[in-house]
Amino acid sequence: MSSNSSVQSFWMTLRNALMLNSIFYENIQNTPKNRLIALVIVGMATLSHMLGSGVILLINRASFPFLVLALFLDGLSVIVGYYCWTFIVYKFGQWLKPNHPTYQDLLSPIGVAYAPQVLNFLTLIPLLGRGIELILSVWSLLAVIVAVRQGLDLQTRWATLICLVGWIPIQFVISLIQLLE
């Protein structure tokens, strides 16, 4: 496969994830290629979150050591949130459906569902940042709900419940980190 078709495949994956395409989430297989795409999306979401926070901290003239620490915590919160949310989905899925996908199998669809977070750098827009962050967070929640519904073959209400159980504490921790900044 050429690098041009790989790039096109990546953008098509990102587009399908952003559009909450349920068929896409149902068909996403846990292949090395999709795991890599999921990790790239989570990485881009992490960098985007760090960029938005970094610009705001620079505008507020944060000291260099504080800036580095804050960016590290911002990036870490996104990455740890991804793995924790996947683990929570896995555990609840195991409880509801004993023969459901493994933790590794859930990393790809949930990682791809982080696609809205790639736009997190937009939070640096004055007066709109918090609203944009909330919209992107809810958009990601909806994407993970679709991924879980399709991946675990659950009813929407059960997928929503499972996802909210992970989403609420993650939002709390991210808000706490931002408050400390």
Side-chain angles (χ1 to χ4, degrees):
M1 186 183 325
S2 72
S3 65
N4 190 31
S5 63
S6 294
V7 170
Q8 286 178 329
S9 174
F10 173 78
W11 289 114
M12 187 59 103
T13 298
L14 193 60
R15 180 181 169 276
N16 281 318
L18 289 169
M19 294 192 64
L20 307 179
N21 183 338
S22 62
I23 295 169
F24 163 77
Y25 281 108
E26 187 171 337
N27 293 330
I28 192 165
Q29 307 255 329
N30 194 24
T31 63
K33 176 186 155 204
N34 287 337
R35 269 185 250 135
L36 178 61
I37 288 173
L39 289 176
V40 167
I41 289 173
V42 172
M44 288 173 67
T46 301
L47 292 174
S48 184
H49 194 272
M50 292 169 66
L51 176 66
S53 296
V55 169
I56 291 168
L57 288 169
L58 286 173
I59 289 170
N60 289 318
R61 299 179 185 195
S63 66
F64 182 74
F66 181 76
L67 178 68
V68 171
L69 177 63
L71 291 178
F72 173 76
L73 290 175
D74 275 345
L76 189 64
S77 71
V78 174
I79 293 168
V80 169
Y82 162 62
Y83 286 106
C84 287
W85 202 0
T86 304
F87 184 75
I88 290 167
V89 167
Y90 167 71
K91 282 308 207 182
F92 273 85
Q94 205 175 34
W95 177 60
L96 287 172
K97 292 189 102 172
N99 296 327
H100 82 289
T102 66
Y103 177 75
Q104 294 292 329
D105 292 337
L106 292 171
L107 287 171
S108 291
I110 292 176
V112 170
Y114 263 63
Q117 296 301 313
V118 170
L119 303 172
N120 214 311
F121 67 91
L122 295 173
T123 60
L124 60 91
I125 297 173
L127 304 175
L128 298 177
R130 187 68 184 136
I132 291 171
E133 186 174 21
L134 181 61
I135 289 167
L136 294 175
S137 179
V138 170
W139 192 357
S140 293
L141 172 64
L142 294 173
V144 173
I145 289 169
V146 172
V148 169
R149 182 187 70 204
Q150 299 305 117
L152 296 179
D153 193 28
L154 295 171
Q155 293 177 344
T156 302
R157 67 176 174 210
W158 287 111
T160 302
L161 180 66
I162 290 171
C163 293
L164 280 172
V165 167
W167 183 75
I168 292 170
I170 289 168
Q171 294 309 304
F172 177 76
V173 170
I174 288 173
S175 295
L176 183 64
I177 289 171
Q178 289 175 341
L179 183 65
L180 292 174
E181 289 176 358

